[in-house]
Amino acid sequence: MPHLGAKVCLLRCSLLSSLLLLLLLRIHETEQNSYCQQIITERHLAELEELADTQMQHPGRVSFKFIDKMQLNDSVCYVKAAFPLMGRILERTEFKENSSNARKMQTVRRMYNSIDENVDPCIREEDDEERTLSQMCFKEFTTSPYEMLVLVKDFFQDIKRLLQNQETFEKDCSRVYRRACPGPRKAGSSPEQRRKEPPVREGRQEPLIYITVASVVAVLLATGGLLFYKYKSRVLERPLEDGGCDPEEPERRALQGARECSELETQDL
């Protein structure tokens, strides 16, 4: 009986410890969610909208790397993949020093940094596999400053909505990245490679082109040689046809004249 009482006490202590641990984890999770939900405020979104409005008439263009939200078709993975790129965009976006726009942008940068300042970041960092795969989803955008700032505002609005829904961003997005951003394929499988295929095919045809040109040149040379030979033969035959004379005729005439002279001299004697 004493042994049974000790086992029951040990079981009760284990259950109480487990319940206490679960309670502490729940409290921590609740505090974490509450902290993350309060980082992005309506004021931040309003300031981003005001920043965009001030750039509405700006004629310039800006280029930056980001993620195509429609391509991924997954809000959580979109935020995880695009979050590091958003930091680069905020760093590069500058306004006149001490201007109201510069102060608003500084407030947005602090808000962005606060998302990762907690012991447990509000957006879980990608592991090595996710980071490698998500890089295949990077896309070069070229837009007006207004459109870029609207994209920034919409991005933080997405984060705010997900955090309010108590999203923990623990999802493994490797499969999503593989599906939406397949990366390099075999020749002819991607638009970039398809655009590069015509030069490759032309390069493969170059030896055939050289052989064809050489063959044509050889045929032309042979034909020209044959025509030249026929022309020369006709030129050599033309005097015989025109004069009716044999090339050896002068020699025969000389010999005949010599004979006639000898005969005359004989007769005179």
Side-chain angles (χ1 to χ4, degrees):
M1 292 296 293
H3 292 289
L4 181 61
K7 290 181 179 179
V8 171
C9 182
L10 182 61
L11 180 59
R12 287 178 178 176
C13 290
S14 299
L15 288 174
L16 288 174
S17 299
S18 299
L19 290 173
L20 181 60
L21 180 60
L22 289 174
L23 180 61
L24 291 174
L25 289 174
R26 182 61 179 173
I27 292 173
H28 173 73
E29 183 179 348
T30 302
E31 291 178 349
Q32 172 74 3
N33 290 335
S34 177
Y35 167 80
C36 293
Q37 290 173 11
Q38 296 174 9
I39 293 178
I40 304 175
T41 65
E42 291 297 330
R43 176 171 169 266
H44 291 124
L45 298 177
E47 289 185 341
L48 281 169
E49 188 170 358
E50 291 172 3
L51 283 173
D53 290 342
T54 62
Q55 301 300 306
M56 190 174 294
Q57 303 300 326
H58 197 288
R61 308 287 289 178
V62 291
S63 297
F64 54 94
K65 284 185 178 181
F66 208 61
I67 304 295
D68 189 341
K69 182 179 179 180
M70 299 301 294
Q71 181 182 1
L72 282 187
N73 196 29
D74 187 298
S75 297
V76 173
C77 296
Y78 164 67
V79 168
K80 289 181 65 174
F83 190 76
L85 297 175
M86 178 55 65
R88 301 177 193 174
I89 293 175
L90 296 179
E91 288 176 2
R92 292 175 51 189
T93 305
E94 297 286 348
F95 294 95
K96 185 178 179 180
E97 190 175 359
N98 296 325
S99 65
S100 60
N101 283 351
R103 289 191 291 272
K104 290 174 183 177
M105 179 53 64
Q106 189 61 33
T107 301
V108 173
R109 291 195 190 102
R110 285 196 296 267
M111 175 266 291
Y112 172 84
N113 293 329
S114 298
I115 295 176
D116 280 341
E117 278 182 353
N118 202 26
V119 177
D120 294 328
C122 299
I123 299 176
R124 186 182 68 83
E125 186 179 0
E126 294 177 313
D127 58 31
D128 292 339
E129 182 182 14
E130 285 181 299
R131 189 178 300 106
T132 301
L133 292 172
S134 67
Q135 289 176 358
M136 295 190 298
C137 302
F138 290 2
K139 180 180 177 181
E140 189 76 17
F141 287 79
T142 300
T143 69
S144 66
Y146 168 77
E147 292 171 323
M148 183 193 72
L149 289 169
V150 168
L151 184 148
V152 172
K153 179 217 168 191
D154 291 343
F155 179 73
F156 284 112
Q157 200 162 26
D158 288 339
I159 297 178
K160 180 177 175 62
R161 175 179 54 80
L162 290 170
L163 291 175
Q164 287 178 342
N165 293 334
Q166 299 186 353
E167 175 60 54
T168 60
F169 294 95
E170 295 289 332
K171 178 178 180 178
D172 185 352
C173 293
S174 300
R175 295 181 62 182
V176 176
Y177 298 149
R178 286 195 185 95
R179 170 185 54 80
C181 313
R185 295 180 181 174
K186 295 181 180 179
S189 61
S190 68
E192 291 77 13
Q193 290 174 335
R194 283 197 293 271
R195 285 194 292 270
K196 294 177 182 178
E197 279 180 356
V200 173
R201 289 198 296 268
E202 290 174 3
R204 292 175 181 174
Q205 288 180 352
E206 284 181 0
L208 180 60
I209 293 174
Y210 293 152
I211 293 172
T212 304
V213 171
S215 301
V216 171
V217 172
V219 171
L220 291 174
L221 289 174
T223 305
L226 181 61
L227 292 174
F228 179 77
Y229 174 78
K230 289 184 177 181
Y231 173 79
K232 189 174 182 181
S233 299
R234 289 179 181 178
V235 169
L236 293 174
E237 292 173 359
R238 188 172 299 165
L240 296 177
E241 294 174 356
D242 295 342
C245 300
D246 192 338
E248 297 179 355
E249 184 64 23
E251 186 178 355
R252 284 198 296 269
R253 288 180 180 180
L255 292 174
Q256 185 177 358
R259 291 194 195 97
E260 291 176 351
C261 289
S262 298
E263 290 176 357
L264 289 174
E265 289 175 355
T266 303
Q267 290 177 359
D268 291 338
L269 293 172

